[in-house]
Amino acid sequence: MELFNQTLTGFLILGLSQNPVLQIPIVIMFSLLYIMTLHGNLVIVAIICFDKHLQTPMYYFLLNLSFLDISFTSVTIPKMLSVCSTGNKSISFSACILQFYLCFSFLSTEFFLLSVMALDRYVAICNPLRYTVIMSKRVVVLLAVASWMIGFLDTIPHTLFILYSSFCGSNEIKHFFCDLTALLKLSCSDPYYINIATFCLGAVSGLGPFMLTISSYVLIISNIMKISSAKGRQKSFSTCSSHLTTVVLFYGTELGLYMRPTSGLSLEKDKFFAVLFTVVIPVLNPIVYSLRNQDVKRAMTKLKQKFWYRNAMLH
């Protein structure tokens, strides 16, 4: 195999499978999932923007979460579909670095955003009388902006390491996007610093928000259990059940995937987990929030009625 380092101009993305028979089923399945992701999250965005009753802190954060899901899948899935459908596996070095940076920035942002959403639920349930004062419009906007800024800043060290790494051997990325673990397999640079950076990033953008989320829910649950009325407890649980479901799905895949030594990496297992957080979770998030939230259901019904009424008037 040809050796190369800083003269590298591009990579070859091998995709999910090298079996030609599976390419068409993969394209069909992931195209449907991508369309479902776009449709579901755009519906969430639409009903929050058009329904005044949903213009509250919780739904403002949900709006940001939907934008994150749309952005993340749009960075990864279209390229994978292009690879499978056209057979053109090439991606330039700069495009690969950009895809890597955007993917991990969106992931890091979601960690912080989910913890902010947990904090919002804590204030709503444990301090409801001061909720509107604590979670003012200014505070809510600052928390959302801070999540995006921190998410895009703490991925820079990893990006710089990959950018200035030396690569040797094959330029074939055995993945369906420019994932960290797949790129590390191709790098012949000393992995010591990237290992340190990976665990530091995991501690800052992973375990830090995770512990904040867990602490918030411990306090939420303990407060709910003090409610004497069964109906009151059920109502309180319903306000945070959707977010808790999203947290379990997201953290369950992310922390197990990236918070482990790079020496134990398995690219096949990584592909499976990557499919979960790049495709499955963004599809499930709108479903979880629409099925388990009465306000969202009512807003969706109103939006459908307006759409059908306008169509009837036009015809």
Side-chain angles (χ1 to χ4, degrees):
M1 288 182 286
E2 182 182 355
L3 297 178
F4 55 93
N5 44 36
Q6 295 300 87
T7 61
L8 176 68
T9 58
F11 296 101
L12 296 176
I13 295 181
L14 300 186
L16 281 173
S17 174
Q18 293 297 291
N19 189 339
V21 178
L22 296 177
Q23 300 309 307
I24 294 178
I26 287 174
V27 169
I28 293 173
M29 181 177 68
F30 281 87
S31 295
L32 290 173
L33 288 172
Y34 182 53
I35 292 170
M36 289 171 62
T37 299
L38 293 181
H39 178 266
N41 284 286
L42 285 174
V43 167
I44 294 292
V45 170
I47 62 175
I48 292 174
C49 290
F50 291 107
D51 194 312
K52 292 182 180 180
H53 295 94
L54 296 184
Q55 292 175 7
T56 61
M58 181 177 76
Y59 294 108
Y60 178 73
F61 293 134
L62 179 57
L63 180 72
N64 280 265
L65 183 63
S66 292
F67 273 122
L68 272 174
D69 286 339
I70 292 170
S71 301
F72 185 69
T73 54
S74 296
V75 168
T76 55
I77 303 305
K79 179 59 182 177
M80 185 197 74
L81 294 175
S82 175
V83 169
C84 293
S85 58
T86 66
N88 181 10
K89 301 177 181 180
S90 63
I91 183 172
S92 67
F93 182 79
S94 58
C96 187
I97 295 298
L98 179 60
Q99 187 189 57
F100 166 79
Y101 174 70
L102 290 175
C103 285
F104 281 84
S105 294
F106 290 138
L107 284 175
S108 183
T109 301
E110 190 155 346
F111 275 115
F112 288 99
L113 186 62
L114 288 175
S115 66
V116 166
M117 293 173 76
L119 183 63
D120 171 73
R121 291 299 83 207
Y122 162 74
V123 177
I125 293 174
C126 299
N127 204 346
L129 297 179
R130 299 194 62 215
Y131 178 73
T132 55
V133 177
I134 297 172
M135 300 301 292
S136 64
K137 186 176 181 179
R138 181 173 177 272
V139 170
V140 169
V141 171
L142 286 175
L143 287 172
V145 170
S147 298
W148 284 89
M149 288 183 64
I150 297 172
F152 275 75
L153 286 174
D154 69 3
T155 315
I156 291 176
H158 285 74
T159 306
L160 291 176
F161 179 88
I162 297 297
L163 185 62
Y164 292 104
S165 288
S166 295
F167 294 89
C168 48
S170 173
N171 66 339
E172 296 179 343
I173 296 176
K174 297 178 180 179
H175 216 298
F176 61 90
F177 70 101
C178 294
D179 180 64
L180 174 64
T181 55
L183 290 171
L184 288 178
K185 289 287 185 180
L186 303 181
S187 174
C188 51
S189 298
D190 186 353
Y192 176 75
Y193 294 105
I194 190 65
N195 285 342
I196 293 177
T198 299
F199 277 96
C200 288
L201 178 63
V204 173
S205 63
L207 289 179
F210 177 70
M211 293 306 297
L212 177 61
T213 303
I214 292 298
S215 300
S216 297
Y217 272 103
V218 168
L219 294 173
I220 288 171
I221 293 171
S222 63
N223 189 275
I224 291 175
M225 296 308 295
K226 294 177 183 178
I227 299 174
S228 57
S229 168
K231 187 176 181 180
R233 287 197 298 269
Q234 184 179 1
K235 184 178 179 181
S236 298
F237 270 121
S238 67
T239 63
C240 58
S241 60
S242 299
H243 177 254
L244 186 58
T245 303
T246 300
V247 166
V248 171
L249 289 172
F250 184 76
Y251 279 104
T253 56
E254 288 300 313
L255 293 181
L257 180 58
Y258 291 109
M259 286 301 291
R260 70 184 195 272
T262 54
S263 58
L265 298 178
S266 168
L267 290 181
E268 292 304 316
K269 290 181 180 179
D270 285 355
K271 286 183 186 180
F272 171 75
F273 282 106
V275 168
L276 290 180
F277 68 74
T278 57
V279 184
V280 177
I281 292 177
V283 169
L284 290 178
N285 280 345
I287 297 173
V288 168
Y289 276 96
S290 60
L291 288 180
R292 307 188 69 175
N293 190 302
Q294 295 301 320
D295 292 333
V296 172
K297 285 182 179 179
R298 281 192 291 269
M300 290 178 68
T301 303
K302 287 182 183 179
L303 192 64
K304 288 178 183 178
Q305 288 173 346
K306 287 182 180 180
F307 179 76
W308 289 335
Y309 177 74
R310 288 180 181 178
N311 280 348
M313 292 296 290
L314 290 173
H315 292 84

